Amino acid sequence: VIFIFCLGLTCLSGFFHMKNKNYRISKSHKELLIPPTPCRAKTNVMFLKTHKTASSTVLNIMFRFAERYNLTVALPADQLFHLGYPRTFVAHFVEGFETIGQNYNIMCNHLRFNPLEVKRVMAANTFYFSILRNPIPLLESSYIYYKNNVPAFRSSKNVNEFVASPTKYYHPADYRENIYARNIMWFDFGYNNNAEDDTKYTQAVLEEIEQNFHLILIADYFDESMILLKHVLCWDLDDVIYFKLNSRSQDTVQRLSLESEEQIKAWCSLDWKLYLHFNQSFWRRIEETIGLELLEKEVDHLRTRQKELMEICLSEQEAVRKDHIRNRALLPFQSGAANILGYNLKQDLDNRTLRTCQKMVIPELQYTSYLYAVQHPHKKRKEVGLPLLWTSRQE
């Protein structure tokens, strides 16, 4: 009897040993064995779209995801393409907020962050994320893109001249027009971009951003960012595949001197601190969740898939200058001294493939206008000033 009893225990312990391979131990449940919960795609997502940080590419990803799952997007009201920017966001900047209330799934157009008002629009379980970029190339990009709009940029010859003595050109009185010239990311997150760089103040802001956002991505590591986003949101690889949008031709990039780079760090010191802090937390998050080895493999998969889609969709396999874009409906908005690139699609694509490819290359304004027409068919369509790619939902 003892032998049989022992044998039974051995078998039983063997059974649990095998089961343990498929079960995870949760310390929060007093060491009970609990079946792993399958990963479910998050569909309530708020993306704070910052300026000159590859955020137009992220917006395209968000719009495509919204269409794939038939989700509601919190779009700008009336003829606007941003959610009241540069004014601090309030809920009524969203089209239909009075009737739709908190039943929006996705929010991703430009706004100046205001957590209490955003929470009035988005569900309680919404996932919040944003993206940052190294302030050195960011300021150079802003300078070219907003050259004609920003007084501080307009009155200087080039970016090196501007950053050599910014206070000569930058006047706080022109505060609204000059926001792109100093600590623009700090401003987008809802803070004073002319605030004094005080350690106690900056630390408090960084902590507040950490409380408000579940994830901050880094544009300088865009592919790595997309893999991390995919994991955290439990999305598929094709959900985060992209073609780079709103980029400019290399001949409009101004070379910064080493001295200028140091001057930008000092001039945009709030953005610099913001970037350094979240660049560290970004890599820490990757190590905790994915690991560098798996990250590298997944980035390779992303790039392989992206190349496949480029070969399927694009006639030139790359972005082209504005004067080489054949279909005017795919022409991106042009700004300042930048030459914003776009794409030509291959001829003779079947309808389904064409639709997939069009969604990957359609510029931000045109896509916003289209989604607005789909969600609010009784409202006047947003005027882009270009031919329409789609007049109604055609799947």
Side-chain angles (χ1 to χ4, degrees):
V1 176
I2 293 167
F3 171 75
I4 294 167
F5 176 70
C6 290
L7 189 65
L9 276 182
T10 308
C11 291
L12 203 58
S13 69
F15 170 76
F16 275 120
H17 178 70
M18 285 191 299
K19 296 295 278 182
N20 281 350
K21 289 181 182 174
N22 304 316
Y23 278 50
R24 63 181 169 82
I25 293 178
S26 170
K27 286 177 183 167
S28 60
H29 289 78
K30 297 180 181 175
E31 305 299 315
L32 287 174
L33 295 168
I34 301 168
T37 49
C39 182
R40 270 189 75 182
K42 289 181 171 65
T43 52
N44 290 332
V45 184
M46 190 276 168
F47 169 58
L48 176 63
K49 188 179 190 295
T50 47
H51 285 80
K52 312 314 298 163
T53 58
S55 62
S56 293
T57 304
V58 180
L59 176 128
N60 178 272
I61 286 167
M62 301 299 290
F63 278 175
R64 283 188 284 121
F65 185 83
E67 283 208 90
R68 179 181 170 182
Y69 289 98
N70 200 25
L71 304 175
T72 313
V73 183
L75 293 166
D78 304 321
Q79 289 297 303
L80 290 178
F81 287 89
H82 52 73
L83 292 157
Y85 194 90
R87 287 179 293 167
T88 301
F89 176 77
V90 287
H92 71 76
F93 291 160
V94 174
E95 186 64 71
F97 169 71
E98 286 75 14
T99 52
I100 296 171
Q102 261 193 322
N103 295 319
Y104 293 96
N105 305 111
I106 302 288
M107 179 185 248
C108 56
N109 289 79
H110 274 306
L111 59 81
R112 189 174 184 214
F113 194 61
N114 181 1
L116 294 177
E117 286 294 307
V118 171
K119 279 170 186 166
R120 288 181 65 203
V121 176
M122 302 303 290
N125 68 345
T126 296
F127 182 91
Y128 288 80
F129 80 102
S130 189
I131 190 165
L132 300 174
R133 182 185 181 188
N134 185 323
I136 297 167
L138 186 146
L139 186 70
E140 186 276 334
S141 177
S142 294
Y143 187 92
I144 301 300
Y145 197 83
Y146 298 110
K147 176 74 173 158
N148 303 337
N149 308 89
V150 174
F153 293 161
R154 236 184 357 242
S155 51
S156 54
K157 254 186 267 169
N158 56 51
V159 68
N160 288 295
E161 185 182 272
F162 169 72
V163 297
S165 50
T167 51
K168 184 175 162 187
Y169 308 102
Y170 183 97
H171 305 297
D174 300 326
Y175 149 74
R176 280 292 157 112
E177 291 82 12
N178 272 333
I179 52 174
Y180 303 105
R182 189 180 197 191
N183 296 312
I184 181 61
M185 296 187 294
W186 199 263
F187 182 86
D188 287 349
F189 274 87
Y191 302 101
N192 176 8
N193 61 322
N194 289 308
E196 201 176 318
D197 185 354
D198 169 73
T199 307
K200 201 175 170 184
Y201 163 69
T202 53
Q203 195 52 42
V205 167
L206 295 174
E207 284 171 16
E208 195 167 82
I209 292 170
E210 279 183 338
Q211 284 165 12
N212 287 329
F213 289 85
H214 299 99
L215 179 66
I216 304 289
L217 303 175
I218 302 294
D220 312 77
Y221 305 100
F222 194 79
D223 288 349
E224 292 83 355
S225 289
M226 291 305 99
I227 297 303
L228 181 57
L229 185 70
K230 174 181 89 76
H231 274 267
V232 175
L233 293 181
C234 191
W235 288 8
D236 297 334
L237 183 67
D238 270 12
D239 291 328
V240 296
I241 288 289
Y242 68 92
F243 295 161
K244 196 188 279 190
L245 296 176
N246 209 33
S247 62
R248 62 197 158 117
S249 59
Q250 279 301 304
D251 60 353
T252 60
V253 177
Q254 291 186 9
R255 193 177 176 84
L256 291 162
S257 67
L258 290 174
E259 197 182 355
S260 290
E261 290 186 2
E262 292 306 311
Q263 285 161 333
I264 291 170
K265 286 183 199 175
W267 173 243
C268 296
S269 64
L270 298 173
D271 269 5
W272 184 245
K273 282 190 173 176
L274 184 67
Y275 176 75
L276 289 181
H277 179 85
F278 285 104
N279 185 41
Q280 279 187 334
S281 68
F282 171 78
W283 289 105
R284 200 162 53 242
R285 186 75 170 267
I286 280 174
E287 282 172 12
E288 287 166 3
T289 54
I290 310 171
L292 294 175
E293 202 178 325
L294 181 58
L295 175 75
E296 203 176 319
K297 283 180 187 165
E298 293 211 26
V299 165
D300 281 346
H301 291 157
L302 177 87
R303 289 172 181 166
T304 303
R305 180 70 180 128
Q306 185 185 52
K307 198 163 178 280
E308 275 172 20
L309 281 170
M310 283 187 147
E311 283 167 7
I312 291 166
C313 294
L314 307 178
S315 55
E316 287 94 351
Q317 308 296 298
E318 60 180 6
V320 299
R321 296 172 65 92
K322 61 184 178 188
D323 43 349
H324 293 159
I325 297 168
R326 290 191 294 269
N327 185 345
R328 297 274 301 162
L330 295 176
L331 182 71
F333 176 72
Q334 302 294 318
S335 177
N339 185 327
I340 306 299
L341 305 174
Y343 294 95
N344 286 319
L345 297 178
K346 279 185 177 173
Q347 308 293 309
D348 308 321
L349 294 171
D350 66 78
N351 282 345
R352 192 176 170 190
T353 307
L354 175 65
R355 189 70 167 166
T356 301
C357 296
Q358 284 175 331
K359 285 178 183 177
M360 300 226 20
V361 302
I362 185 169
E364 180 179 333
L365 302 189
Q366 288 92 313
Y367 210 159
T368 302
S369 174
Y370 163 69
L371 282 185
Y372 185 84
V374 169
Q375 283 190 194
H376 308 284
H378 305 300
K379 293 271 183 177
K380 182 176 183 248
R381 187 169 183 142
K382 291 182 189 289
E383 300 294 335
V384 183
L386 289 165
L388 300 177
L389 189 60
W390 310 304
T391 49
S392 62
R393 188 186 283 275
Q394 303 159 323
E395 294 305 335

